[in-house]
Amino acid sequence: MKSTLLALLFLFTNILLQVDSFAKPIDLRCEYLHNPLGVDVSAPRFTWRLDDVRRGAAQSAYQIWVGIDSMGLLQGKGLAWTSGKILSSQTLVAYAGKPLPAFSKFYWAVAAWGSDGQRSVSTTAHFETGVMYASNWKGAWISDTRDVKIKPAPYFRKTFDTAKKVKSARAYIAVAGLYELSINGQIIGNHRLDPMYTRFDRRTLYVTHDVTTQLQQGKNAIGVLLGNGWYNHQSTAVWYFHEAPWRSRPTFCLDLRITYTDGSVETISSGKDWKTALSPVIFNSIYTAEHYDARLEQTGWNLPEFDDAKWKTVTYRAAPSTNIVSQLMHPIRNVEEIEVKKMSKINDTTYLFDLGRNISGVSSLRVRGEAGTAIRLRHTERLNEQGRADMSNIDVHYRPIDNSDPFQTDIFILKGRGEETFMPRFNYKGFQYVEVSFDHPVNLSASSLKGYFMHTDLPQLGQVNSSNPTLDKIWWATNNAYLSNLFGYPTDCPQREKNGWTGDAHIASETGLYNYDGITVYEKWLADHRDEQQPNGVLPSIIPTSGWGYEWGNGPDWTSTIAIIPWNIYLFYGDAKLLSDCYDNIKRYVDAITAQSTDGLTTWGLGDWVPVKSKAPVELTSSIYYFVDATILAKAAKLLKKPADYQKYSALAQKIQNAINAKYLNAETGMYGNGTQTELSAPLHWGLVPPILRAKVAANLAQRVKADNAHLDVGLLGTKTILNALSDNGYADLAYQIAAQEDFPSWGWWIKNGATTLFENWPIDAKSDISMNHIMFGEIGAWYYKALGGIKPDPAMPGFKNILLHPHFVEGLEAFNVRFKTPQGELVSSWKKTEEGIRYVLTVPPNSSATLRLDVQAGQTVSNKGQVWPSEAKNGFVKNLKSGNYELLIK
């Protein structure tokens, strides 16, 4: 009897566990981060996914609880807010309770009801509010001097006692410049180059650290080392960052808030009781390199027992801005350690290290030598004919005033006490090779040096592989280039400039969003846009900027980032917040273009930058982006319920479209302008071609591409449109031919010549514009997902609530596989050509649907696990799918 009861209990428990596993909310995030600290927004956003493999799995309702009691949360104990049961499939919900107090930890959980009415509850997640309001800061802004010419980085320290038992401790640190924080000699966190670069006089970021375990009973010491970053730019280059209006000696404000087990709170703050001294970092530049003299080290400087009697008192400083906000984003890290692939000894004083791939980041050197030995680490992307490090392709915009700050060259001076290690703290570079030279004998081996691939550490969402190795290498190189240019904002290159070029970024934004969870970076960068916009709506071409870029390069073809990126975020995440935050800025920007345009056309812009040979008229390409911006603005107005603006900007978009077509389109021949690849593909891709003429224009484009021997003849703007325009208009095979080329000009040509990132120019022997790590030609990475995988967001149901699926089984490619983690869950689109036909494996995530379109020829059938599917459309094969797994055969 007892065994029977136990068996029944076991069976009943299993049934309950199975029921609870259906529609279970997982991957809980607050502000798109897992358990974040320092949340200082009034209505934080909560997101989750469903774990449910059943066919048609969907959420029918949800309920969120937010409170201070983790154990009693679902019973309403310590509740700050609950949504109540809401009949909705939404998995993105903003907090709507009473105002959240600062410095408080909140727990939250979500229940989801499946379509069958069964409820499942998530595990509990948490977040902590930060400083929230400026009035909550207790610390003062301090530095060691106001002299921007002093080169050594400053140390700061303070000791304090903790007499009671610590429950928790948080360090809140706001910095103009860069910092490294330590407590009791231990470096805090694994972030690099914090805080992220902003327009310092308009917005300052602070970072929150949990330092509970670093504190000890009794005496403690806080140490801060400050770096220049972009705040005190001592290097000189063509963009005048050394003349930035905010420029000053780095400064910081810190509050260490300690909560004791008895409930009392103590705050240790920056102020006049801190001491300062110069550090062994004798020079640091975010743009060039870092110099370190180990002989100047003060052992134990950040420990409680250190004697700082010779250190001086700090000086007060004004806050760099009045807008101090939390850095809520994925941080920069040393993401990947890279071993040296090859080492060669050039001569008795010089070694050359080859990492085997181009990266952004730093190198680390372990070495023994006599005191005073000066070691130079010269970082380059290529070698000259003699096999030496060659930086002639990346130092062209540097304008040094003397030889004390060599480009991308770290200097390490040994103290001569056993093995020493050097890795720069406040710099990064773009490089594959490191030439190490020294002025006293030193023995090195291949293991003496390592490279660290450094970038904003975004979670990866997408994965691609195919039957074409070159295609896979292009995808890998594109991702390497994207990440190499992500340092809290998207850049053009990690060596020569490190600038936030707007055109490069919006062209590559879909590539980034298919491959990585980039919303936190883009939301931060669009805040930079709002900081930089002039009252008349004009934006600079590089963002952030010290003032350069308002006069050159900033037409609608580049600075359409203000509209395109918020719209892409809305499509990919189903989150309209960024679009709403930027709405007035988009409107002012479109109005600024209108003010200088003539009858719907504008010549303001750079045009199809770095073309192969043909360049479309700037008026055509810039006017197209003017149309794109006006169209996005009209859509945003409709979404945000602004009917007057919707009418106004819809009419403006129509006016621009009519003006472009009146001047550039020959309706009889279906030809735009001179019929170059960009002239034909850009109107097709961006939706300017009248529907009745789309087939004719597409045919002209295909003919032009064939005349170009299925090779590229485009610049930056054309790379965005050429593959998409062909694939979306019946010529996917031809698009694949372009993408898979392995001779000049093509992406594959770079790969065949050893590229591990994307280049800045199509010819590898170009005399200028030849950075070897640029993302601007990176749209091909998104095209893989859109055309070969067939995956696109549905504007009517954004955030991949409904997925538009139209895979192209192109001639010449035998298999293609893609996995993409949408906000609802993982989507799989995988096909392979077999003797039976094309096998297509598809997974539609839970809580999603898909509209599947297949190019099926007459007489072909589509079956799922042997069951023939009829089409749900009169023309072509269309099928509306629920979530779940499908195994199709097209034969």
Side-chain angles (χ1 to χ4, degrees):
M1 181 68 178
K2 185 176 181 181
S3 62
T4 302
L5 287 173
L6 286 173
L8 288 171
L9 180 61
F10 179 76
L11 177 63
F12 181 67
T13 303
N14 274 338
I15 291 171
L16 287 177
L17 288 173
Q18 289 174 19
V19 169
D20 193 54
S21 69
F22 292 147
K24 186 175 181 66
I26 60 170
D27 195 16
L28 273 63
R29 292 182 293 166
C30 174
E31 287 298 296
Y32 296 96
L33 299 169
H34 290 289
N35 301 328
L37 303 178
V39 174
D40 65 354
V41 294
S42 59
R45 292 162 291 178
F46 303 112
T47 60
W48 63 93
R49 295 183 174 96
L50 294 187
D51 183 11
D52 195 334
V53 299
R54 295 175 296 175
R55 176 68 57 82
Q59 176 183 288
S60 61
Y62 71 84
Q63 182 171 1
I64 297 176
W65 294 266
V66 181
I68 60 173
D69 187 337
S70 62
M71 300 300 293
L73 186 65
L74 302 185
Q75 290 74 45
K77 296 179 181 178
L79 205 61
W81 174 66
T82 180
S83 63
K85 183 177 180 180
I86 305 295
L87 300 178
S88 172
S89 64
Q90 183 64 261
T91 56
L92 164 63
V93 178
Y95 176 83
K98 57 187 178 182
L100 296 169
F103 311 123
S104 300
K105 185 171 186 176
F106 290 92
Y107 300 90
W108 70 284
V110 58
W113 283 262
S115 52
D116 57 2
Q118 295 289 341
R119 188 186 87 152
S120 184
V121 182
S122 71
T123 56
T124 301
H126 58 84
F127 68 94
E128 287 188 21
T129 55
V131 180
M132 297 291 282
Y133 310 105
S135 58
N136 287 331
W137 284 96
K138 296 184 181 298
W141 284 87
I142 60 173
S143 188
D144 63 332
T145 178
R146 288 178 171 79
D147 190 348
V148 298
K149 295 180 181 180
I150 292 179
K151 291 185 177 181
Y155 276 149
F156 300 86
R157 62 175 269 116
K158 175 183 170 55
T159 58
F160 62 96
D161 291 309
T162 53
K164 295 183 287 186
K165 189 174 182 181
V166 174
K167 179 182 178 183
S168 66
R170 302 290 183 262
Y172 306 93
I173 181 167
V175 179
L178 301 170
Y179 75 91
E180 186 176 87
L181 172 67
S182 58
I183 292 182
N184 295 327
Q186 183 175 342
I187 302 298
I188 303 301
N190 63 352
H191 298 192
R192 304 297 310 277
L193 304 180
D194 266 344
M196 306 301 171
Y197 177 27
T198 60
R199 175 66 190 257
F200 295 102
D201 52 354
R202 294 177 183 168
R203 187 163 46 101
T204 308
L205 300 181
Y206 76 87
V207 183
T208 305
H209 295 281
D210 181 350
V211 296
T212 307
T213 59
Q214 283 78 29
L215 294 184
Q216 59 193 22
Q217 196 78 18
K219 196 171 185 180
N220 293 266
I222 313 173
V224 174
L225 173 64
L226 290 187
N228 288 321
W230 295 98
Y231 185 64
N232 182 32
H233 206 274
Q234 294 179 317
S235 300
T236 48
V238 298
W239 303 281
Y240 305 115
F241 284 106
H242 63 291
E243 297 179 3
W246 60 69
R247 186 182 172 190
S248 191
R249 180 75 166 166
T251 179
F252 76 100
C253 178
L254 180 143
D255 281 348
L256 173 57
R257 195 171 191 272
I258 306 170
T259 302
Y260 296 103
T261 53
D262 65 3
S264 61
V265 175
E266 180 182 14
T267 302
I268 310 298
S269 298
S270 51
K272 273 289 189 178
D273 53 349
W274 286 58
K275 303 291 286 293
T276 185
L278 297 179
S279 76
V281 180
I282 56 176
F283 175 79
N284 69 98
S285 167
I286 190 73
Y287 181 63
T288 57
E290 188 164 312
H291 307 166
Y292 187 90
D293 189 342
R295 297 171 300 177
L296 302 177
E297 289 178 349
Q298 299 188 51
T299 304
W301 73 272
N302 49 7
L303 292 173
E305 301 79 16
F306 180 78
D307 182 3
D308 59 12
K310 295 182 179 179
W311 287 34
K312 69 176 186 177
T313 303
V314 299
T315 182
Y316 281 137
R317 288 277 298 282
S321 79
T322 58
N323 185 22
I324 303 171
V325 296
S326 182
Q327 180 175 289
L328 282 175
M329 58 191 301
H330 294 286
I332 298 166
R333 291 190 177 99
N334 282 358
V335 178
E336 184 180 354
E337 182 181 282
I338 300 173
E339 302 283 343
V340 169
K341 185 176 181 180
K342 180 182 178 182
M343 186 204 77
S344 56
K345 186 174 182 179
I346 304 295
N347 53 47
D348 289 343
T349 60
T350 310
Y351 288 79
L352 183 73
F353 295 86
D354 179 1
L355 298 182
R357 56 183 287 203
N358 198 329
I359 64 168
S360 61
V362 294
S363 61
S364 173
L365 182 70
R366 291 186 299 108
V367 62
R368 293 175 182 268
E370 61 183 82
T373 300
I375 300 176
R376 291 185 170 227
L377 297 92
R378 196 165 183 254
H379 299 74
T380 70
E381 292 190 315
R382 65 184 187 182
L383 304 178
N384 61 22
E385 293 179 355
Q386 291 74 42
R388 300 290 297 272
D390 173 16
M391 63 172 60
S392 60
N393 67 316
I394 55 174
D395 64 358
V396 293
H397 297 309
Y398 184 33
R399 302 291 183 268
I401 57 175
D402 55 37
N403 61 1
S404 65
D405 179 17
F407 192 65
Q408 289 217 147
T409 303
D410 292 325
I411 299 175
F412 178 33
I413 302 173
L414 303 184
K415 62 184 174 184
R417 299 175 188 171
E419 186 173 83
E420 303 178 51
T421 301
F422 167 74
M423 183 176 69
R425 294 165 169 82
F426 303 125
N427 167 265
Y428 75 96
K429 308 164 190 73
F431 66 102
Q432 175 173 337
Y433 305 97
V434 185
E435 187 174 284
V436 180
S437 60
F438 31 86
D439 58 5
H440 288 81
V442 169
N443 289 317
L444 300 177
S445 67
S447 62
S448 299
L449 186 135
K450 285 183 171 60
Y452 290 91
F453 191 8
M454 183 198 299
H455 53 78
T456 297
D457 191 11
L458 296 182
Q460 187 159 355
L461 299 181
Q463 185 69 42
V464 163
N465 62 78
S466 75
S467 57
N468 183 338
T470 298
L471 206 68
D472 292 358
K473 289 176 182 178
I474 294 170
W475 177 77
W476 182 72
T478 301
N479 285 353
N480 286 339
Y482 180 79
L483 293 174
S484 292
N485 285 289
L486 210 61
F487 282 80
Y489 65 108
T491 67
D492 60 331
C493 54
Q495 9 67 6
R496 193 187 67 206
E497 297 193 31
K498 299 182 172 77
N499 280 323
W501 278 99
T502 48
D504 304 41
H506 74 69
I507 293 292
S509 61
E510 286 182 285
T511 288
L513 293 172
Y514 275 113
N515 284 292
Y516 299 99
D517 186 10
I519 186 171
T520 60
V521 171
Y522 285 122
E523 287 191 333
K524 179 266 177 191
W525 195 47
L526 267 294
D528 296 332
H529 278 62
R530 299 193 295 272
D531 287 343
E532 298 286 13
Q533 190 173 33
Q534 298 277 18
N536 66 356
V538 172
L539 287 158
S541 52
I542 60 172
I543 296 174
T545 181
S546 64
W548 191 96
Y550 288 101
E551 299 293 335
W552 189 84
N554 59 331
D557 50 359
W558 251 245
T559 36
S560 287
T561 42
I562 191 65
I564 290 174
I565 289 180
W567 182 250
N568 282 343
I569 291 294
Y570 172 67
L571 292 179
F572 276 72
Y573 288 85
D575 190 338
K577 184 179 185 300
L578 185 58
L579 204 56
S580 176
D581 289 346
C582 294
Y583 181 81
D584 289 339
N585 306 87
I586 302 170
K587 186 175 175 180
R588 282 194 286 135
Y589 184 62
V590 170
D591 289 347
I593 306 171
T594 301
Q596 59 83 61
S597 66
T598 303
D599 297 325
L601 299 175
T602 178
T603 58
W604 184 20
L606 288 180
D608 203 15
W609 191 250
V610 196
V612 175
K613 57 181 187 289
S614 303
K615 185 172 181 178
V618 172
E619 184 181 64
L620 173 60
T621 52
S622 286
S623 297
I624 287 174
Y625 277 98
Y626 179 25
F627 166 79
V628 171
D629 296 339
T631 301
I632 290 173
L633 180 54
K635 291 176 181 177
K638 185 176 183 180
L639 179 70
L640 301 174
K641 296 179 171 52
K642 300 176 185 291
D645 280 357
Y646 172 67
Q647 295 294 333
K648 176 181 177 180
Y649 292 104
S650 294
L652 175 61
Q654 187 64 59
K655 176 183 176 181
I656 300 166
Q657 182 178 6
N658 292 343
I660 291 171
N661 287 337
K663 182 167 183 178
Y664 288 98
L665 172 62
N666 184 323
E668 289 187 13
T669 63
M671 193 70 73
Y672 277 85
N674 293 316
T676 64
Q677 290 185 19
T678 297
E679 285 175 300
L680 292 166
S681 64
L684 278 168
H685 176 72
W686 293 114
L688 285 98
V689 181
I692 196 171
L693 291 177
R694 284 190 70 85
K696 186 176 285 189
V697 175
N700 284 333
L701 174 61
Q703 193 61 40
R704 177 57 191 252
V705 169
K706 291 174 184 176
D708 291 323
N709 197 25
H711 281 72
L712 292 164
D713 183 20
V714 294
L716 171 61
L717 305 182
T719 54
K720 180 68 183 180
T721 60
I722 182 64
L723 299 179
N724 295 307
L726 289 169
S727 299
D728 293 342
N729 292 281
Y731 298 96
D733 289 347
L734 191 55
Y736 174 71
Q737 285 185 51
I738 295 175
Q741 293 289 358
E742 296 182 358
D743 57 353
F744 175 82
S746 67
W747 292 276
W749 170 242
W750 294 338
I751 298 299
K752 288 298 180 181
N753 281 275
T756 58
T757 48
L758 302 186
F759 292 176
E760 185 189 10
N761 212 329
W762 298 112
I764 59 176
D765 58 351
K767 301 304 179 185
S768 63
D769 300 314
I770 191 55
S771 150
M772 299 170 73
N773 195 345
H774 251 68
I775 186 53
M776 68 181 193
F777 290 130
E779 165 62 17
I780 189 172
W783 176 80
Y784 286 179
Y785 291 85
K786 291 185 285 187
L788 302 181
I791 301 166
K792 292 182 182 179
D794 185 347
M797 299 179 68
F800 295 93
K801 284 290 291 177
N802 186 63
I803 302 153
L804 301 180
L805 276 172
H806 187 185
H808 293 291
F809 313 124
V810 293
E811 184 178 345
L813 189 65
E814 297 305 307
F816 185 81
N817 309 290
V818 60
R819 291 178 176 272
F820 172 51
K821 194 173 183 181
T822 77
Q824 308 305 322
E826 187 171 66
L827 166 66
V828 176
S829 179
S830 175
W831 54 265
K832 183 177 182 179
K833 295 174 182 176
T834 69
E835 291 182 359
E836 296 178 274
I838 298 171
R839 291 201 170 273
Y840 181 44
V841 176
L842 170 65
T843 299
V844 179
N847 209 36
S848 294
S849 59
T851 302
L852 175 65
R853 182 180 298 276
L854 297 172
D855 297 325
V856 176
Q857 305 302 315
Q860 283 189 312
T861 60
V862 179
S863 59
N864 177 44
K865 297 181 180 178
Q867 179 183 359
V868 176
W869 275 358
S871 175
E872 297 175 2
K874 293 180 180 179
N875 300 317
F877 182 89
V878 177
K879 188 80 172 179
N880 294 307
L881 304 178
K882 296 180 179 179
S883 64
N885 300 312
Y886 301 87
E887 297 177 16
L888 307 185
L889 178 63
I890 302 106
K891 66 176 183 177

